[in-house]
Amino acid sequence: MAHEHMFDPDDPILARVRAIALALPGAQEKLSVGHPTFFTKKVFVWYGMSNKVEGQWQRNPQSVGVLLPEDERLSLLERDDTFVPGYIGPYGWLCVLLTEDTDWTEIEELIEESYRRTAPAKLVAQLG
C-alpha cells in the first residue's frame, strides 16, 4: 500500500536538506512511509516527521531527523526547536525544526554526524 506524500515537492527547505544529504558519498534518496529519506545502506536523514503533543499528532513538515551520539542528542533536546519524532524516536532519532533562518552550518554538521553513524566505513572514510 502506497503512503500519502507527507511533503511538498517544491519545498525550498527540503531542497536545501536534499543538497546537503546527497553531497555525501554514496547517498541516495527514497520515500519511506510518505517521507523523503536519505540513505546509504541505512537511513541517515528523515524529513518532515511528526510528534505527539498532548496526545495529538503534530505534523512538522519542515524538520530534519538525525541519529546522533547520546550526549549530543540530550543536549539538543533542551532546545525549543527539537523534538522526539513518532515511530523513529524510540530508536534514538531526534528532529530539528527548520526555517530559512536556521543555522545551516549546524544542520550540515548534524546530517554528517548522522551519516557517520549509519553509513558503511568505506563511505565514511571518503569524508576524510
Side-chain angles (χ1 to χ4, degrees), residues 8-43:
D8 174 358
D10 298 322
D11 178 357
I13 302 289
L14 172 57
R16 288 186 83 164
V17 170
R18 180 178 284 129
I20 294 166
L22 294 179
L24 296 166
Q28 299 176 59
E29 181 178 356
K30 67 180 176 180
L31 290 182
S32 184
V33 294
H35 297 275
T37 62
F38 301 90
F39 71 102
T40 56
K41 295 282 185 188
K42 297 178 182 178
V43 171

Side-chain angles (χ1 to χ4, degrees), residues 4-8 11 13-15 17-18 29-38 43 45-51 57-66 83-88 93-98 104 111:
E4 167 190 356
H5 286 193
M6 307 297 276
F7 64 99
D8 174 358
D11 178 357
I13 302 289
L14 172 57
V17 170
R18 180 178 284 129
E29 181 178 356
K30 67 180 176 180
L31 290 182
S32 184
V33 294
H35 297 275
T37 62
F38 301 90
V43 171
V45 168
W46 288 81
Y47 187 78
M49 300 304 288
S50 300
N51 65 316
W57 285 104
Q58 175 177 303
R59 291 189 62 197
N60 300 289
Q62 293 179 314
S63 62
V64 62
V66 290
F83 64 93
V84 176
Y87 180 65
I88 60 173
W93 291 81
L94 175 74
C95 287
V96 179
L97 298 170
L98 304 172
W104 287 96
I111 289 173

